[in-house]
Amino acid sequence: MSHLHKFSEAKATFDADHANAATSICIVPVRGKARPNDSIRNVRGEPNEQYYKWQFVYGLVHSGLYPKDYIGVEVHFPKGNKGSAALQLDGAIFDDAAWLDRYNAYWNDRKSSDLEWLNDHLLATIEFKKNDKEIEKVFAGQIRPAMREKEPSDAYVLGMYYDAERLYMFHRRSGLYLRYDESKNQKGLASKVGDLSLHLPDPYAFIPSFEELKAKVHKPSTLNRAARGISDLDVITTISSVQIQTALSDVLRAMDKAGLVNQRGYQILVQTLALKIFDEKRNEVRKDRHLQFFVTDEEASFSNLGEPKVQGFVDRMTALRTDASAKYQKILRNNEIDWRNPSHVRVVVAISQAFQDYSFARSARSDLYQLVFYNFANSFKRDEAAQFLTPLPVIDFVVKLVNPRDGETVLDPCCGIGDFLSLSFVNASTKASGWQLDDANIYGIDLDENMITLATLNMLLNGDGEAKLFDKPDKGSILYKIAQGSPPALVSLLPDHHQRGNWDNWPDQTKLQKFDVVLTNPPFGEDRAYRVKSDTDRRIIEMYETWHITRDRSTSDENGGSPGAKVPARKSPKGSDNIDLGIVFLENAYRMLKDDGRLGIVLSNSIASINRWTKIREWLATKLRLVAFFDLPSNVFAETGVNTSILVAYKPKADELRRLSESGYSIYARDIERVGYEKRTLKRNVFFNPLFQMDETTFDIRVDVEGRPLLDEEFTETLSDFRTWALGQEETLQRLFLKEG
């Protein structure tokens, strides 16, 4: 069922229509009878509990989530026999519009058949409050007893609690009373009242539609995974849920037991995940093709591969791979899974069991691939290779600042698992028609094939799989650039022709691809410097102008002299034949930009502050129009306490930059202290735990207009402030960073 409007939009309409109203029309029956209106304000003119009741019902109906014929309020639901006291449900939702006739018939004639019918057709109970702070008591004393009215005791029923625009959703599943959002059940199925994260409300977007709720309530008692579509799978709201963490631990345990916590095991994992993504994407387009990515309990219990029960699983998965290989050629070009090897099959079975009931495609913006990197890719040796992932809130902030859109070309020259690229695509997909990004215009380079494989998965999930992603070991994009062509391909810079950044001087017809946007978080800092260890290393780095600038220490800034005071030029002292890789990638990004191209880059803030890099800052000011600079706290990355900064800039033509510099242009600068998360480890899995804003008066977690708990972060406010600042800058800056259809 398509929703006509968001719940939040319908709620806002109700608020606007009732801004000064004392009453509201009753759009559904009250106690089984039509009622013209209800008082919605107290004697002081403030909204009362009835206001929020009708606000919620109006939102359900006018969002298109639920037809009003199936909803009632103040429903006296009888407990059992005729003598039992009735329990009043503030609201109830049924699966049949005949509920009203059956309800009134029961109260007129007290026939048990009508009571049984109401019980069978109850989908959800609703409780309304206004600023009741004791949610544990409300849950234990009203919400749970209301849900208990549904018989039998293990039947599925939804419970919704709406307290002055704060929504909490519960369900009874297999006799257990839990939060509807599984990530809020801190101990999984064993969660008691104190484990239900009752301090956290649910976003309105989590409200299931009428059809979705009916499917949950009337789900067959025996699960037939062979007859499912993507809509039958659960959405992953966060990887920190106990269920997901347990699933991941089970996969790790199976890989360890099979001796596959290594490069081969990693490849098996990635290829298996690719099959799941293909299966879901195919089902989205062809509803008649049921999902094939599943394993039955019988299939999983095999002892040897000769048993017919496991061969059904192997046949199904190999057929799925055959279908997927034509579309996912890069990931599946080598068959890493040996279906004759019991250890390989057991690992694929474990992965299938872990993820078969969750939808990756419907959870596309989750931190799924960061989790795979942190918790599975032991072979990455990320400390040695200096590969550190950028937390998603930081990436999202940089993407929204630089704002790639309108079919622009986007490059990440050290793309890792591709989060800058995938979030650019996802962010642009929400824009007006014609202003989205084209997957085929997205490019990434990394020195690690494992990273590019994950990046490919990431783009398959979030895009159309047409992104152009390249891996080149050792020097990566420091030496290799993307050349124009059909298709574009990597080419190596030539030391004899490309000294000091003269990269367009080719002896043949080669032309480098230039980009509208470069977004990246390169390796940086003293521990990850480019170190000259051979003549080849030197010849490569001498193709960078910044290398020569750092060799010529013609100022005495580091030696206590006056800044700018001239001393004879000399080579750097012995032992300092290195350069911060952040500087190398900064120049790399600059040279890959088109005229008026935009840059967003994460760097060590030492590049912007210490005397050693004064000349680099001077060089930078002659190449780019610096737009914004943000200092981040030291705990922004999980692996290191290095202080980092974000630089945003664009590349005007030389005469335009000269004019801007002479006029003394403005740079937006801000220190960001709160990022909305902290690093946590659960069941050996690393993840970023969200931190939320607290109302200092009510001690409630604040929510936004969509009912989502607000993260304790400054990115959102800073982004808004930056855009306001940008309106006062030159027309080019406004066009590049703000203009949209």
Side-chain angles (χ1 to χ4, degrees):
M1 178 179 180
S2 61
H3 304 166
L4 300 179
H5 303 285
K6 287 183 177 180
F7 176 90
S8 59
E9 293 170 350
K11 183 177 77 69
T13 299
F14 178 90
D15 291 339
D17 292 346
H18 296 81
N20 300 305
T23 61
S24 171
I25 295 173
C26 300
I27 61 174
V28 300
V30 181
R31 298 187 182 182
K33 307 294 181 185
R35 180 186 292 180
N37 52 60
D38 229 347
S39 175
I40 57 173
R41 297 192 184 274
N42 60 24
V43 294
R44 295 183 296 277
E46 301 165 338
N48 59 16
E49 184 177 306
Q50 302 303 312
Y51 180 97
Y52 296 108
K53 174 173 73 179
W54 292 112
Q55 180 195 61
F56 186 73
V57 173
Y58 185 98
L60 291 181
V61 172
H62 288 271
S63 64
L65 282 166
Y66 291 86
K68 67 178 184 179
D69 314 67
Y70 300 83
I71 305 174
V73 298
E74 297 182 29
V75 176
H76 286 219
F77 207 87
K79 283 189 174 183
N81 59 47
K82 295 180 181 180
S84 300
L87 176 71
Q88 177 175 306
L89 307 181
D90 288 350
I93 301 174
F94 297 88
D95 66 2
D96 192 319
W99 79 269
L100 188 58
D101 292 336
R102 290 281 194 161
Y103 178 80
N104 286 314
Y106 175 80
W107 286 109
N108 288 332
D109 304 324
R110 301 295 178 102
K111 291 182 179 178
S112 59
S113 59
D114 290 322
L115 175 56
E116 291 171 2
W117 188 97
L118 290 169
N119 198 317
D120 289 342
H121 292 270
L122 179 68
L123 296 180
T125 69
I126 313 172
E127 294 295 319
F128 301 106
K129 295 289 181 185
K130 179 191 174 183
N131 297 326
D132 192 315
K133 303 303 176 189
E134 298 187 65
I135 185 171
E136 285 196 17
K137 288 185 178 180
V138 174
F139 173 74
Q142 292 177 267
I143 300 169
R144 189 165 57 190
M147 295 167 70
R148 281 201 182 108
E149 292 307 301
K150 175 76 172 179
E151 294 289 346
S153 60
D154 61 348
Y156 186 95
V157 64
L158 181 70
M160 293 188 278
Y161 173 47
Y162 191 68
D163 182 358
E165 304 186 350
R166 300 168 67 82
L167 174 67
Y168 302 81
M169 295 200 302
F170 306 86
H171 58 184
R172 186 181 66 187
R173 193 180 67 180
S174 302
L176 301 174
Y177 295 86
L178 301 166
R179 289 297 293 269
Y180 183 76
D181 174 10
E182 299 291 354
S183 71
K184 296 185 175 73
N185 299 315
Q186 298 170 19
K187 294 183 180 178
L189 298 179
S191 297
K192 304 301 181 185
V193 175
D195 308 315
L196 299 181
S197 307
L198 295 177
H199 62 295
L200 283 177
D202 289 305
Y204 304 143
F206 284 10
I207 301 174
S209 70
F210 185 47
E211 297 301 326
E212 290 168 341
L213 181 55
K214 285 196 296 182
K216 284 181 177 290
V217 172
H218 301 306
K219 182 181 292 187
S221 56
T222 302
L223 178 61
N224 181 11
R225 291 191 170 94
R228 293 193 301 180
I230 187 173
S231 61
D232 297 313
L233 304 181
D234 292 331
V235 175
I236 301 172
T237 57
T238 173
I239 59 155
S240 62
S241 71
V242 172
Q243 289 83 350
I244 294 298
Q245 294 294 325
T246 300
L248 293 167
S249 295
D250 290 343
V251 173
L252 277 170
R253 193 176 300 110
M255 294 175 75
D256 190 28
K257 188 174 181 180
L260 285 167
V261 183
N262 53 30
Q263 178 68 18
R264 186 65 180 269
Y266 164 74
Q267 294 291 348
I268 291 172
L269 170 70
V270 169
Q271 290 200 351
T272 306
L273 295 181
L275 298 184
K276 176 165 178 59
I277 294 169
F278 173 81
D279 193 34
E280 290 190 28
K281 293 271 189 175
R282 181 173 64 180
N283 179 257
E284 281 184 315
V285 176
R286 294 188 56 185
K287 305 295 185 187
D288 59 314
R289 293 292 300 267
H290 289 138
L291 296 174
Q292 299 297 297
F293 188 93
F294 67 90
V295 59
T296 66
D297 292 340
E298 184 183 18
E299 290 170 339
S301 65
F302 74 95
S303 298
N304 64 76
L305 292 180
E307 297 173 19
K309 60 184 178 183
V310 73
Q311 280 305 309
F313 171 73
V314 171
D315 291 346
R316 185 168 62 251
M317 296 299 280
T318 52
L320 185 60
R321 189 192 188 285
T322 299
D323 293 343
S325 59
K327 189 171 180 63
Y328 295 176
Q329 295 177 15
K330 188 176 182 69
I331 289 182
L332 299 176
R333 64 179 180 266
N334 299 318
N335 193 349
E336 300 292 344
I337 305 170
D338 182 354
W339 296 103
R340 296 166 300 179
N341 185 323
S343 295
H344 286 204
V345 175
R346 291 188 194 284
V347 167
V348 177
V349 165
I351 298 168
S352 301
Q353 287 177 316
F355 296 116
Q356 62 186 346
D357 295 328
Y358 297 97
S359 169
F360 285 10
R362 295 172 66 208
S363 313
R365 288 209 60 175
S366 75
D367 37 6
L368 177 66
Y369 296 106
Q370 294 214 348
L371 176 137
V372 171
F373 173 80
Y374 278 117
N375 301 298
F376 287 102
N378 298 42
S379 59
F380 282 15
K381 299 179 182 178
R382 51 187 185 267
D383 291 331
E384 296 175 25
Q387 293 171 336
F388 301 108
L389 296 186
T390 317
L392 290 177
V394 176
I395 296 173
D396 190 58
F397 177 59
V398 176
V399 166
K400 288 176 178 175
L401 282 168
V402 180
N403 198 17
R405 63 206 184 278
D406 193 22
E408 292 178 317
T409 52
V410 182
L411 169 70
D412 186 343
C414 37
C415 67
I417 64 173
D419 279 331
F420 272 112
L421 303 177
S422 65
L423 261 67
S424 292
F425 186 86
V426 169
N427 185 61
S429 69
T430 64
K431 300 184 184 299
S433 178
W435 285 81
Q436 293 90 358
L437 289 176
D438 183 346
D439 210 7
N441 287 338
I442 294 177
Y443 296 75
I445 308 173
D446 201 89
L447 52 79
D448 192 326
E449 182 182 3
N450 291 328
M451 288 289 204
I452 289 298
T453 302
L454 270 184
T456 303
L457 268 183
N458 205 344
M459 291 306 301
L460 286 174
L461 186 60
N462 289 292
D464 298 325
E466 299 299 323
K468 298 173 178 62
L469 305 173
F470 305 91
D471 60 86
K472 204 67 178 177
D474 192 16
K475 297 298 187 287
S477 68
I478 293 175
L479 178 58
Y480 291 89
K481 312 301 172 187
I482 300 172
Q484 297 177 13
S486 295
L490 291 185
V491 294
S492 174
L493 291 178
L494 306 174
D496 292 336
H497 292 82
H498 299 135
Q499 284 283 307
R500 294 178 177 266
N502 190 19
W503 297 354
D504 293 324
N505 178 34
W506 291 86
D508 53 20
Q509 301 300 311
T510 300
K511 289 187 177 180
L512 296 186
Q513 177 93 16
K514 301 298 177 69
F515 297 88
D516 297 298
V517 173
V518 175
L519 300 171
T520 192
N521 174 21
F524 51 74
E526 185 64 29
D527 293 340
R528 293 173 289 280
Y530 183 99
R531 302 186 189 281
V532 174
K533 299 178 181 178
S534 67
D535 184 61
T536 299
D537 290 343
R538 186 174 302 281
R539 283 168 58 79
I540 290 171
I541 200 61
E542 284 178 349
M543 291 186 286
Y544 283 78
E545 184 180 4
T546 49
W547 171 261
H548 297 278
I549 292 171
T550 60
R551 299 305 91 192
D552 178 14
R553 299 173 63 207
S554 59
T555 69
S556 58
D557 291 357
E558 290 187 77
N559 300 311
S562 301
K566 298 294 183 182
V567 297
R570 57 185 174 86
K571 291 183 179 180
S572 296
K574 183 178 180 180
S576 64
D577 224 8
N578 62 75
I579 183 172
D580 191 316
L581 274 174
I583 293 172
V584 176
F585 279 102
L586 183 58
E587 180 176 351
N588 192 8
Y590 156 71
R591 299 200 184 280
M592 291 295 96
L593 286 173
K594 296 177 179 177
D595 286 342
D596 282 349
R598 308 190 299 289
L599 167 67
I601 185 169
V602 181
L603 296 167
S604 164
N605 67 8
S606 65
I607 294 174
S609 58
I610 68 173
N611 289 336
R612 180 182 179 188
W613 306 127
T614 298
K615 284 290 186 180
I616 294 300
R617 294 192 289 275
E618 293 172 355
W619 171 86
L620 185 63
T622 67
K623 302 298 183 183
L624 294 169
R625 193 290 196 206
L626 307 182
V627 173
F629 192 82
F630 306 91
D631 272 339
L632 300 175
S634 59
N635 62 345
V636 74
F637 293 99
E639 303 90 343
T640 176
V642 173
N643 291 321
T644 53
S645 302
I646 297 168
L647 172 66
V648 177
Y650 75 90
K651 181 182 177 180
K653 292 182 179 179
D655 56 347
E656 175 64 11
L657 181 56
R658 190 179 307 111
R659 186 188 65 78
L660 285 166
S661 298
E662 290 172 354
S663 67
Y665 64 75
S666 173
I667 301 174
Y668 183 92
R670 180 160 176 172
D671 289 348
I672 293 176
E673 297 178 357
R674 293 176 287 111
V675 295
Y677 62 84
E678 62 182 354
K679 178 192 172 185
R680 285 280 189 90
T681 303
L682 179 64
K683 291 181 179 287
R684 299 193 304 167
N685 301 313
V686 178
F687 63 96
F688 293 103
N689 188 57
L691 300 175
F692 299 101
Q693 293 183 27
M694 183 76 72
D695 186 306
E696 295 178 358
T697 303
T698 64
F699 299 105
D700 288 329
I701 289 176
R702 293 192 176 102
V703 298
D704 65 11
V705 295
E706 300 289 346
R708 294 176 300 225
L710 285 168
L711 291 172
D712 188 21
E713 48 85 14
E714 298 172 68
F715 293 131
T716 303
E717 177 189 347
T718 302
L719 180 64
S720 176
D721 191 50
F722 168 78
R723 288 174 173 167
T724 300
W725 168 86
L727 290 172
Q729 306 309 308
E730 68 270 19
E731 186 275 337
T732 301
L733 188 150
Q734 293 183 45
R735 172 174 56 82
L736 293 175
F737 288 87
L738 303 181
K739 184 178 179 181
E740 294 181 19

